[in-house]
Amino acid sequence: MSEPGTQPLEQGTPWTASVLTLFPEAFPGTLGLSLAGRALERGIWRLEVADIRDFALDRHRSVDDAPFGGGAGMVMRPDVVDAALASVAERPGPLIYLSPRGRLLDQELVRELAAGPGVRLLCGRFEGVDERVLEARGVAEVSIGDYVLSGGEVAAQVLLEAAVRLLPGVMGNAESPAEESFERGLLEYPQYTRPAEWQGRAVPEALVSGHHARVRQWRRERAEELTRERRPDLWRRFQQAAAGGRDTKD
């Protein structure tokens, strides 16, 4: 995906999400709740949703047709989708089609998107979108995981939720993002709160010791342990990055 963030966000200009979908009623959905919802109300980011059927060329508002070569299902028409994409051509941010064959959405990509002026998201349905319009418009494809959904609306909300929470002013504690999973190449350490003992299970002694160095060490060790056990792929990358850092210092 090229130029994921394009230009940085101008001061005073809200980060803008432009969404093209056959189900505009799906938005804001969960994006209207909690951190993202409060940030939307405060104008930190803006959500614009357009119904792809509004760009249909017939009175039946048809947006799909049978695939060439045969096969099950229908395919979204390139002329209709192109007209919809043209309507957001002047909106900020990269143009993204939510697709299981796209680049995997990870925290690195989320940070890139959050650092830009916004995103333009195309939510597909049926068997997908005619390839020609994706090629003609230079649409990037992004996947939220190795599974198939009925459409791109849920995937779009996942991407937006992940990006919006990183926008300045959205999260109350500025340190929170740095402590979360993936931000340092590791999964997040376990969390505990009151009561100190529950059903015979006590909070780890290091966390109630009052010694900040012990707390930091315990959290680091648990984060490494969890990553090593549950995500060996992340653990290998973390070790390689650490080794590379040592080589640089040497």
Side-chain angles (χ1 to χ4, degrees), residues 63-204:
V63 298
D64 60 319
D65 211 326
F68 281 113
M74 306 290 277
V75 177
M76 294 180 70
R77 294 171 53 110
D79 47 0
V80 176
V81 173
D82 184 63
L85 294 176
S87 73
V88 296
E90 301 302 319
R91 306 310 300 147
L95 187 55
I96 296 173
Y97 171 46
L98 285 310
S99 163
R101 69 183 190 181
R103 169 183 172 179
L104 185 64
L105 181 68
D106 56 17
Q107 198 64 15
E108 179 183 0
L109 177 55
V110 168
R111 286 194 297 266
E112 292 175 1
L113 295 173
V119 291
R120 295 170 291 163
L121 304 180
L122 172 61
C123 302
R125 280 276 160 174
F126 315 117
E127 294 302 308
V129 175
D130 189 298
E131 187 72 17
R132 292 169 295 179
V133 69
L134 300 178
E135 294 173 349
R137 288 281 178 178
V139 181
E141 297 186 49
V142 172
S143 169
I144 64 168
D146 295 337
Y147 43 85
V148 178
L149 302 173
S150 297
E153 287 75 21
V154 172
Q157 291 195 23
V158 168
L159 184 152
L160 293 176
E161 165 80 14
V164 165
R165 64 196 306 278
L166 297 184
L167 299 179
V170 173
M171 299 186 71
N173 186 345
E175 296 181 359
S176 293
E179 295 296 324
E180 294 174 334
S181 293
F182 311 116
E183 285 295 337
R184 296 178 177 176
L186 297 170
L187 298 180
E188 188 177 6
Y189 48 79
Q191 299 280 8
Y192 298 86
T193 188
R194 293 183 178 86
E197 184 171 333
W198 175 75
Q199 294 187 359
R201 299 171 182 266
V203 173

Side-chain angles (χ1 to χ4, degrees), residues 4 7 10 19 27 45 52 69 86 89 133 137 158 164 166 185 191 200 206 209 211 225 228:
Q7 299 298 318
E10 294 182 8
V19 181
F27 295 87
W45 71 291
I52 296 175
V133 69
R137 288 281 178 178
V158 168
V164 165
L166 297 184
Q191 299 280 8
S209 67
H211 296 285
E225 179 183 10
R228 186 170 56 249

Side-chain angles (χ1 to χ4, degrees), residues 9 13-19 27-28 30-48 117 119 157 160-161 163-165 167-168 170:
L9 189 65
T13 302
W15 192 88
T16 301
S18 302
V19 181
F27 295 87
T30 57
L31 297 172
L33 307 175
S34 190
L35 291 175
R38 290 194 293 270
L40 187 61
E41 292 177 354
R42 292 164 55 197
I44 294 177
W45 71 291
R46 180 167 57 208
L47 177 63
E48 302 174 348
V119 291
Q157 291 195 23
L160 293 176
E161 165 80 14
V164 165
R165 64 196 306 278
L167 299 179
V170 173

